[in-house]
Amino acid sequence: HNPEAIWETVLMGIRDVLGRSGTNPKHVAAIGITNQRETTIIWDRKTNQPIANAIVWQCRRTTEQCEKLKKNAALKKSINLKTGLVIDPYFSATKFQWLLDNVSGARKRAAAGELAGGTVDSFLLWRLTGGKVHATDVSNASRTMLMNIEKGEWDKDLLKTFKVPAQILPKIMPSSGEFGCTEHVPGLPDGIPIT
């Protein structure tokens, strides 16, 4: 999917809800986000532009890579114990790796701290906050195959296995709470909490 199209549909949804309800945007109490959990996006931190189309949860382009990983019984067991998941292209880890390996210059830019990545929620949160907040909630992070479900944090061994630099990933936060506030969103005032 084109991440810009995803963003545009969010903006259209906001305008539609406000228009149909007749609600003044200044009276919006909070914004909530729901999304395709495993769909993966990497974007430029300065320009906010995606480096490629999002790889959607249904995409099977990393099947061969996953099959190779499954042949290592110890690794297969470790991934399952740490994440609660089975090795499968459905999850985000191999999607991140594919983007970093197949988009020209992406690995170098990631190492230099120029790129941010995450699932759709973190991309939308980035855009809604004007690039101020790079975060995700624990339920989305748990579907990446990179989060240790016992510790609730990105797992260093899994990041190494999938060659995903920690600096591109969002901060993991609880599912309930304030993530930030709107800033520079067309049609919305600054300062609406995103929860």
Side-chain angles (χ1 to χ4, degrees), residues 2-195:
N2 179 343
E4 294 300 334
I6 294 170
W7 174 240
E8 287 301 319
T9 61
V10 168
L11 293 177
M12 286 189 314
I14 289 169
R15 285 190 291 268
D16 186 53
V17 166
L18 293 173
R20 287 175 189 246
S21 68
T23 301
N24 182 324
K26 293 178 182 179
H27 296 138
V28 174
I31 295 172
I33 298 174
T34 187
N35 63 285
Q36 299 173 350
R37 293 192 186 280
E38 295 82 6
T39 297
T40 306
I41 304 170
I42 298 178
W43 62 93
D44 184 291
R45 288 180 183 273
K46 287 185 182 173
T47 68
N48 300 322
Q49 296 303 303
I51 65 168
N53 278 344
I55 301 181
V56 300
W57 60 275
Q58 300 142 309
C59 181
R60 307 296 292 175
R61 76 180 71 184
T62 63
T63 298
E64 187 177 323
Q65 179 187 358
C66 289
E67 292 306 316
K68 286 179 186 174
L69 293 169
K70 286 181 191 178
K71 290 178 183 175
N72 181 332
L75 180 62
K76 183 178 173 181
K77 183 177 180 180
S78 175
I79 289 172
N80 181 254
L81 288 173
K82 288 181 175 191
T83 68
L85 306 173
V86 296
I87 298 171
D88 194 272
Y90 181 82
F91 305 110
S92 308
T94 55
K95 297 176 190 322
F96 282 119
Q97 187 175 7
W98 191 95
L99 286 166
L100 291 168
D101 288 341
N102 289 281
V103 175
S104 180
R107 265 212 190 273
K108 185 176 179 183
R109 292 177 66 203
E114 297 173 13
L115 302 179
T119 49
V120 174
D121 66 308
S122 57
F123 176 70
L124 296 177
L125 183 61
W126 179 273
R127 287 286 180 93
L128 287 167
T129 63
K132 293 252 169 49
V133 179
H134 186 212
T136 188
D137 86 312
V138 69
S139 71
N140 281 286
S142 73
R143 303 299 288 175
T144 62
M145 208 163 49
L146 295 171
M147 188 191 89
N148 184 310
I149 58 174
E150 293 294 326
K151 296 178 180 178
E153 62 189 36
W154 302 119
D155 187 274
K156 291 177 185 175
D157 293 332
L158 294 175
L159 295 175
K160 187 176 178 182
T161 296
F162 293 103
K163 300 175 187 156
V164 176
Q167 65 264 29
I168 74 164
L169 295 174
K171 177 183 177 183
I172 300 172
M173 296 177 61
S175 294
S176 181
E178 190 170 316
F179 281 70
C181 293
T182 56
E183 190 166 321
H184 308 302
V185 179
L188 288 178
D190 290 351
I192 297 174
I194 302 157
T195 63

